[in-house]
Amino acid sequence: MVEIGGHPIIWHIMKHYIRHGFDEFVVALGYKGEEIKRYFLDYNRLRSSVTVDLATGQSSFHEAASDMWTVHLIETGLKANTGARVRNLKPWLEGETFMLTYGDGVCDIDLGELLRFHRTVGRLATVTAVRPPARFGGLVFDGDLVSDFTEKPQIGEGWINGGFMVLEPGVFDYLNGDDPSLEADALEHLAADRQLAAYKHAQFWQCMDTLRDVRLLEGLWQSGQPPWKTWQ
């Protein structure tokens, strides 16, 4: 619920999915879940003009928000691990392919292409692989001298899980035990079984783990051209 440009990051993520034709969401609630419920319960009311009859207490709303979303807000446990939260959503996913993301990162990925790639590869799970920008300037040496300096270059080696995933119902078979981890109990074992594919996304991606990240994303938003804003 941390805000970028006056909107919580979950809104930015959902708007990106809407842009690519996905308009039904299942949100796994835990800590501060009541704040997320309150936000969506008040979503239209806070974005509409309103007339209040003070004598009767009745109110009517005008110019309702045009966002045509369906959002299921599901309690998945206060301290449940990531895999347990996903497993608790199983009754809401109707045995179909589903997309999954964390609530703390934005990017400009083409979600339709991600889904098509997943179906082409034919594995149980696909993660989006990203190469995030380094946090420090890069140095290239010539003996004791610096021959090249690059301010915060993109990491030259290695890819990380960018958090935008496509999963098949078979993934639930990997989520066993009392409190499984999506990463350690599912993704690691899926990789070992050659059931985990990676869609490489080399364009914009940014997580929001620190106050520095919040300020970076806010600055990009205020610039008027945030890279992840693919909607109008």
Side-chain angles (χ1 to χ4, degrees):
M1 294 300 291
V2 176
E3 293 186 352
I4 305 167
H7 300 281
I9 191 170
I10 192 173
W11 178 88
H12 291 265
I13 294 169
M14 288 182 168
K15 290 288 282 187
H16 185 65
Y17 272 93
I18 291 287
R19 162 67 178 80
H20 290 280
F22 305 97
D23 58 7
E24 184 172 6
F25 303 90
V26 184
V27 182
L29 298 180
Y31 178 69
K32 294 288 186 178
E34 68 278 6
E35 297 295 332
I36 300 175
K37 286 181 181 177
R38 188 174 295 114
Y39 173 76
F40 285 106
L41 286 169
D42 290 338
Y43 189 85
N44 276 333
R45 292 190 295 175
L46 295 179
R47 285 164 175 75
S48 306
S49 300
V50 59
T51 299
V52 181
D53 186 328
L54 297 180
T56 64
Q58 294 183 335
S59 58
S60 55
F61 298 91
H62 319 284
E63 304 162 2
S66 60
D67 296 310
M68 304 298 290
W69 310 353
T70 299
V71 184
H72 308 282
L73 304 168
I74 309 303
E75 294 288 350
T76 58
L78 183 61
K79 298 182 180 180
N81 210 335
T82 51
R85 293 192 188 282
V86 174
R87 185 176 62 190
N88 290 340
L89 298 180
K90 184 177 180 180
W92 297 87
L93 301 176
E94 300 179 349
E96 299 178 355
T97 303
F98 62 97
M99 306 187 81
L100 174 70
T101 189
Y102 303 119
D104 63 352
V106 290
C107 75
D108 59 355
I109 185 174
D110 185 327
L111 294 168
E113 285 298 323
L114 171 63
L115 180 58
R116 282 188 284 274
F117 172 86
H118 170 78
R119 287 174 170 163
T120 298
V121 175
R123 295 299 191 267
L124 289 179
T126 298
V127 297
T128 297
V130 300
R131 297 167 68 183
R135 293 186 179 273
F136 307 101
L139 301 177
V140 178
F141 294 104
D142 180 6
D144 291 332
L145 301 180
V146 175
S147 63
D148 189 31
F149 177 89
T150 305
E151 176 61 19
K152 298 177 182 176
Q154 190 168 50
I155 294 173
E157 297 182 20
W159 296 76
I160 66 170
N161 175 15
F164 289 81
M165 299 170 246
V166 187
L167 306 176
E168 297 295 330
V171 167
F172 290 113
D173 294 336
Y174 289 79
L175 297 175
N176 301 310
D178 293 335
D179 192 30
S181 162
L182 176 65
E183 297 76 18
D185 294 306
L187 297 183
E188 287 187 14
H189 290 92
L190 284 162
D193 291 345
R194 299 186 60 79
Q195 286 295 325
L196 181 63
Y199 178 82
K200 292 181 179 179
H201 177 70
Q203 285 74 49
F204 177 82
W205 174 88
Q206 178 63 51
C207 62
M208 192 171 67
D209 293 336
T210 67
L211 180 58
R212 176 188 179 280
D213 297 332
V214 176
R215 290 170 175 166
L216 171 63
L217 290 170
E218 181 66 27
L220 290 171
W221 183 265
Q222 294 303 329
S223 74
Q225 295 182 320
W228 70 91
K229 186 178 182 296
T230 56
W231 62 92
Q232 299 298 320

